[in-house]
Amino acid sequence: MQVLQTTLLTGPYDWDASLLPRAEFEARLLRVRAALAQAGAGALLVHGHAGDYGALAYLTGFVPKLGPALALVPMEGGIRIIVSGTALMLPQAKLLTWVEDVLPFGNVPKLVGEWLAEQHGATLATWGGPSLAHGLHRGIAASVRPLGAMVALDDALDLVRRQKSPRELDLMRRAGKILAASAAAFTAASRGGAGARTAALAAERAAIAAGAQDVRTLASLRPGGAPLPLDGAEDRVLDPLLAAIAVQHAGYWAAGHVTVANAPGAALARAEAALAAVLREARPGATGDTLLRVAETQLHPLGPHAMMRGAIGRGIGLSLEEGPALSGAVSLAAGATYALLVGAQGAAADAAVQSAVVAITGAGAEILWSSSRMTGGV
Amino acid sequence: MDRTARLERVRRRMAADGVDTLVALSSARHSMARPDLATHLSGFRSLRESAFVLHGDGGARLVVTPSYDEERALARRADTAIVATDDLAAALAQLLAERGAKTGKVATSGLASLPFALAARVIGAIGADAVAFDEALAAATAPKTGDEIAHARKAAEIAELGFARLLEIGRAGMRECDLAVELNLYTKSLGADDNFLMMSALPHGYGVAASSNRPLARGDVLVAEFTPSFEGQFAQICRTVSVGAPSNVLAEKYALVARSMEAGIASVRPGIPVSAVADAIDAVLTEAGYREYCRPPHMKRRGHGMGSGSTAPGDIAYDNPTVIEEDMVFVVHPNQYLPETGYLLCGEPVRVTATGGEALTKRWAALGTIPA
């Protein structure tokens, strides 16, 4: 699920050791350093920005509310975080993380070069690097070049964070409950005759009341339309109305879709059946192709919704799209969490999307949230 | 001025610089403070990276990603030809190839903000000899259109209502972040599509920051920059609130900072350098004995531009020589640290008229109070 980036994150993001104690981060750091050693890297640069900071938050808890931020991770010793904003904002920035060494952005390429020199010119791995802005990347690359190589290690490190700890799963279960409250509020508002914008606001209020630190809502712009950002002042009553809701709790996202129709058409029935079938099939090793075939069998004679194009689901956790996209031979992995999506496109405005958030267990899937529970279809 | 006239200004500037094709790029990392001239030109905030392509001889195209966002782009920008794609670089290559030799000299804006791998592919598509056009484009598009001014006026109204809501619900014991979230929901209910709300409190602060989990306490001085966006156009007001009854010193010093702001706004008119506005603010504070506090770190800037991707005329600062033009919109905010009180915020959004400056707010900054 992709959302319109806001200019500033305002929710409760200060590091809460009762939710994620320092020991949890230290265990993560050990795993990441092991992956670095295996790849022959001697230091790590982690990048995050206000739109996607999953890797950065995984290691440091830090959430860049305002702009980009970097974490510099040596093989031994403490992490350093470099954050957007002025030095006057540092006291508040330090509240966001267990890491003690937090600096303002300043001349980032110089800061990175000097730090890497202290690591004796080790090969610098990057994580979250593909989203580094061209200008910033160019400067960092120039300062690193005389000292050693820079290699992207996203695939290996994404695998590390994809495996959720029991504590992370608890937080995602909580996020699932918040999503349920939010989706219920959206559905109730829409059934009560509210416009899409009003229903979205009801969903957001319910999520915040239930403990979300952030919530984003997308909804149809026309009857049966795919959920899209509501960035205009229009507040149209639509039937059917499709919505996508993402809630965040203690850094962890749960995202789902609901379809509200006064007179449900064939699309909703087919989508509900498809989601039920996909959930029955969800287990370690189930591939994107398998899940898609199962869904399409249930969707027949209707066609798959355009939102299924490319993937039937994605990893979810500290990022809304934590990867991998479930398509082809890509398979569900035990210990990982996913957002699964199916949808049907019938005649004219008869369209529906249904989804679920699941944690893959040793033999099957634990459902953390499912839109079928909103409509009673499963 | 309307959007057509703005694009004509850009084309004239392109012609003056020998540019045949402009490719303005957006990273979709939307910001109130960083320029995003593709968004400014298109009037569309994209989900992912996008481009606004303008040809000197006429046509314009908005290239949006992901492709499924086409429906929103068509709804929001009915006056623009839309290209929806999942591969921005490939779409740009095709667009330019279709024009062949007519593509001519290409200029870009926003290239440095793109993710680097995408930037490399875009450079491959448009040619490594494309020239950066950011500064020229920012200058050519500095005045707001009539629609943007109307939207700024609405955003300012929402900001004022938001501040009234703060005075209504704020109290000691509330966490800063909870108050900020509630105010964001409220401004959204009034029609805002975003709100850059920096708000923090301390008994003696040195700046303003994003809200933390800290509960407000008696004796805090809460500072807030309300910056709602309406239809993509931001307008900012800056306010200060005492948690509990303010001390006489706080009330007196706030009145001083407010006077400096009034002097700054009174100085605004077309044809003068931006620095003159900062000087007018500094003069009041200097007269009161705070000359040494008129430079960082005791203050950062005396205001700034704001828009849907345009930050013209830049910072209201003593070293900004940019000449003020009619229909520019910017916030005038002294936002000053004083040793007796800590950091204080007061600021109003101002539109430049033919003869002066018009504040877009109905009620100017005055020290607020919430229960302790």
Side-chain angles (χ1 to χ4, degrees), chain B:
Chain B
M1 182 174 63
D2 62 11
R3 195 160 168 274
T4 305
R6 168 178 287 162
L7 294 183
E8 201 41 52
R9 275 175 67 119
V10 174
R11 286 196 187 92
R12 280 200 299 273
R13 181 62 199 251
M14 287 166 63
D17 287 31
V19 171
D20 301 291
T21 302
L22 168 67
V23 181
L25 298 150
S26 169
S27 66
R29 290 180 200 166
H30 305 297
S31 168
M32 191 274 296
R34 289 188 299 274
D36 177 349
L37 295 163
T39 298
H40 184 48
L41 282 178
S42 69
F44 180 74
R45 281 185 301 159
S46 55
L47 261 179
R48 295 293 303 268
E49 296 83 5
S50 64
F52 186 77
V53 181
L54 185 66
H55 301 295
D57 61 2
R61 298 278 183 90
L62 170 60
V63 188
V64 299
T65 67
S67 56
Y68 66 77
D69 204 22
E70 178 180 27
E71 181 184 338
R72 185 173 66 99
L74 288 167
R76 307 293 296 160
R77 296 291 4 155
D79 57 351
T80 304
I82 307 292
V83 176
T85 178
D86 293 313
D87 187 337
L88 181 65
L92 287 172
Q94 187 177 338
L95 271 183
L96 299 187
E98 284 168 5
R99 301 248 324 156
K102 284 165 71 182
T103 296
K105 182 179 172 184
V106 179
T108 67
S109 77
L111 186 62
S113 70
L114 287 189
F116 74 88
L118 175 60
R121 292 189 59 229
V122 167
I123 291 168
I126 64 178
D129 54 349
V131 296
F133 202 58
D134 299 74
E135 284 185 25
L137 185 56
T141 61
K144 302 295 187 222
T145 64
D147 281 350
E148 287 167 346
I149 290 167
H151 295 155
R153 211 178 286 283
K154 177 67 178 172
E157 179 190 330
I158 293 172
E160 288 194 270
L161 290 167
F163 180 60
R165 180 79 172 155
L166 186 161
L167 296 179
E168 186 185 333
I169 65 171
R171 64 187 185 283
M174 275 185 100
R175 297 191 302 178
E176 291 173 10
C177 57
D178 294 335
L179 181 55
V181 167
E182 175 54 35
L183 293 171
N184 269 346
L185 287 170
Y186 180 68
T187 53
K188 206 169 189 179
S189 75
L190 299 174
D193 50 62
D194 197 357
N195 188 3
F196 182 87
L197 174 57
M198 292 279 267
M199 188 178 75
S200 56
L202 281 171
H204 190 102
Y206 291 88
V208 62
S211 302
S212 74
N213 294 14
R214 178 182 177 276
L216 301 176
R218 177 193 292 272
D220 277 355
V221 177
L222 182 151
V223 287
E225 291 186 338
F226 277 80
T227 323
S229 158
F230 184 78
E231 298 284 348
Q233 172 66 48
F234 290 92
Q236 183 171 92
I237 66 171
C238 304
R239 297 291 186 264
T240 301
V241 174
S242 173
V243 183
S247 67
N248 291 338
V249 173
L250 178 59
E252 175 199 327
K253 298 303 175 190
Y254 195 76
L256 167 67
V257 176
R259 278 203 308 280
S260 75
M261 177 189 74
E262 289 159 16
I265 293 173
S267 74
V268 171
R269 63 182 183 280
I272 65 168
V274 165
S275 58
V277 180
D279 291 345
I281 292 170
D282 289 354
V284 174
L285 293 162
T286 298
E287 172 72 22
Y290 293 105
R291 175 188 292 274
E292 68 177 288
Y293 291 92
C294 289
R295 292 291 180 269
H298 308 297
M299 46 71 65
K300 189 181 171 204
R301 51 189 174 175
R302 299 305 192 191
H304 50 81
M306 59 202 167
S308 49
S310 164
T311 55
D315 284 355
I316 308 301
Y318 69 92
D319 57 355
N320 183 351
T322 303
V323 174
I324 292 175
E325 295 177 65
E326 185 177 359
D327 285 340
M328 282 180 167
V329 173
F330 48 85
V331 61
V332 175
H333 66 44
N335 292 6
Q336 177 69 52
Y337 173 82
L338 296 176
E340 299 88 344
T341 59
Y343 200 61
L344 303 177
L345 295 191
C346 72
E348 310 297 335
V350 174
R351 171 210 175 182
V352 183
T353 67
T355 56
E358 172 206 7
L360 300 181
T361 40
K362 293 186 174 67
R363 195 171 167 200
W364 289 16
L367 184 64
T369 305
I370 58 175

Side-chain angles (χ1 to χ4, degrees), chain A residues 59-89:
Chain A
L59 268 184
T60 70
F62 187 85
V63 172
K65 296 181 175 183
L66 193 55
L70 303 174
L72 304 175
V73 185
M75 287 303 273
E76 290 179 2
I79 296 176
R80 171 173 294 169
I81 301 180
I82 306 173
V83 305
S84 297
T86 68
L88 294 174
M89 296 175 180

